[in-house]
Amino acid sequence: MEARVYCGAERLKEVLFRLFICVNDKGGVGKSVVTSILFGYVRKILKGAAGRVRGIDSDPKNRSFHRKYPQDVDLLNIRELKNADALVKPFEEKVDIVIVDNRASAMSDEDKGIKAWIDEVGLFEVAGEHGMGITFGAIVNPERENLEGLKETFEMIGERADWVVFRNFKGADSVIWDTSNLRNEMLGIGIREIEMPLIHKHYERQMHVEKLALENVRPQDIADHGRKRRFITDLYSRLEVIESLLIPQKLLSAR
């Protein structure tokens, strides 16, 4: 097959595999929470095909993603570039979707992380040859430093990949992002934006302190069971709009 770069919705039906990477370079913006929510969502809607989804935690020191799904998420130290090939190795093992929680600073020029690996292997050209769609997830919040880091990453990757932006403002002012040139540029190539709902404090505590996946957090009482169900229903309805950027068409069609 001729080498092609998959960078837009018009080519989604040709995608055989999907690599999703949460790319923020700043820590503490919610990468592990968002990644674990996406992982749980994809496994839930694929049901019998859930085994064709692999998670990778590239932050072995904190391993927040791995601790939520210890049986289904691999740890990977990408500071040694020879290890980074494991990001795409699962596609040779009957896995169709790989979801990666990127560690902070791995997209910087100084860090020998995912950015260095992308350059080393010519990732986008390889993806085109093997039918692999690439989606980068970015979390935006009120922190200017986070947006500056995202700007550098976007300038490097641009429309060679699909993008999903998760708005994680938690009730704070979003004007910095909403009026930014970066947002206008990203909207110009057709990114998808999702407003993340506010996670209840006791759910958030269990996810952070006890390292539980969202579906495993324990409601406080009988009434809270209904509250949790409504929260997850609302959250998953928002994620439905990006299913095609997470799941290859062959799996969506087989549901």
Side-chain angles (χ1 to χ4, degrees):
M1 183 173 68
E2 180 180 309
R4 299 180 69 183
V5 177
Y6 293 91
C7 59
E10 72 278 7
R11 297 179 183 170
L12 285 173
K13 290 184 179 179
E14 300 179 21
V15 170
L16 302 176
F17 312 102
R18 180 63 71 171
L19 175 66
F20 175 92
I21 305 176
C22 202
V23 294
N24 290 73
D25 244 18
K26 188 177 185 304
V29 299
K31 288 193 300 292
S32 296
V33 171
V34 168
T35 305
S36 65
I37 285 173
L38 287 179
F39 188 74
Y41 171 76
V42 170
R43 284 165 52 88
K44 181 179 186 298
I45 64 174
L46 290 180
K47 298 177 182 176
R52 296 165 76 172
V53 185
R54 180 76 53 81
I56 294 179
D57 190 331
S58 70
D59 188 356
K61 181 178 180 180
N62 294 314
R63 60 181 63 188
S64 299
F65 183 27
H66 173 265
R67 285 172 175 157
K68 292 180 176 66
Y69 294 97
Q71 305 302 317
D72 304 295
V73 173
D74 299 332
L75 287 170
L76 181 65
N77 181 7
I78 302 182
R79 288 191 184 278
E80 296 185 30
L81 282 188
K82 63 181 181 181
N83 295 337
D85 287 356
L87 292 171
V88 293
K89 191 70 174 176
F91 296 132
E92 302 172 11
E93 305 166 357
K94 296 184 178 180
V95 170
D96 297 303
I97 304 167
V98 174
I99 296 178
V100 183
D101 182 15
N102 200 13
R103 76 168 189 278
S105 81
M107 297 300 293
S108 67
D109 290 323
E110 297 77 20
D111 192 311
K112 296 300 182 182
I114 286 182
K115 180 183 184 298
W117 177 73
I118 288 173
D119 295 337
E120 181 188 63
V121 304
L123 178 63
F124 299 105
E125 290 73 21
V126 170
E129 293 171 357
H130 295 277
M132 181 173 68
I134 302 172
T135 301
F136 285 103
I139 299 168
V140 294
N141 64 8
E143 300 175 38
R144 191 177 296 276
E145 181 184 353
N146 178 42
L147 299 186
E148 290 172 353
L150 176 57
K151 183 176 187 296
E152 293 180 6
T153 299
F154 178 71
E155 288 175 349
M156 179 191 77
I157 297 167
E159 60 181 342
R160 293 186 293 172
D162 292 301
W163 286 84
V164 178
V165 169
F166 300 92
R167 299 169 59 93
N168 190 32
F169 290 96
K170 301 181 179 179
D173 193 344
S174 63
V175 67
I176 293 178
W177 165 249
D178 291 336
T179 60
S180 67
N181 290 331
L182 174 60
R183 181 172 185 257
N184 288 334
E185 291 177 27
M186 297 183 82
L187 289 174
I189 67 165
I191 66 159
R192 306 280 184 87
E193 272 191 307
I194 293 179
E195 190 82 40
M196 295 298 290
L198 186 64
I199 299 176
H200 300 299
K201 284 296 182 182
H202 60 283
Y203 298 171
E204 189 173 30
R205 184 179 64 252
Q206 290 182 59
M207 293 173 72
H208 281 293
V209 177
E210 300 181 43
K211 308 303 179 186
L212 295 179
L214 176 61
E215 60 266 30
N216 294 329
V217 299
R218 299 177 298 276
Q220 291 179 312
D221 51 36
I222 293 175
D224 200 28
H225 277 272
R227 191 173 295 114
K228 176 187 172 183
R229 184 179 298 110
R230 286 194 301 274
F231 173 78
I232 291 180
T233 298
D234 174 38
L235 172 62
Y236 283 6
S237 70
R238 302 180 190 212
L239 297 180
E240 284 179 4
V241 301
I242 60 166
E243 280 185 2
S244 59
L245 300 183
L246 299 173
I247 305 171
Q249 186 66 31
K250 61 183 180 181
L251 293 184
L252 286 174
S253 301
R255 283 197 296 162

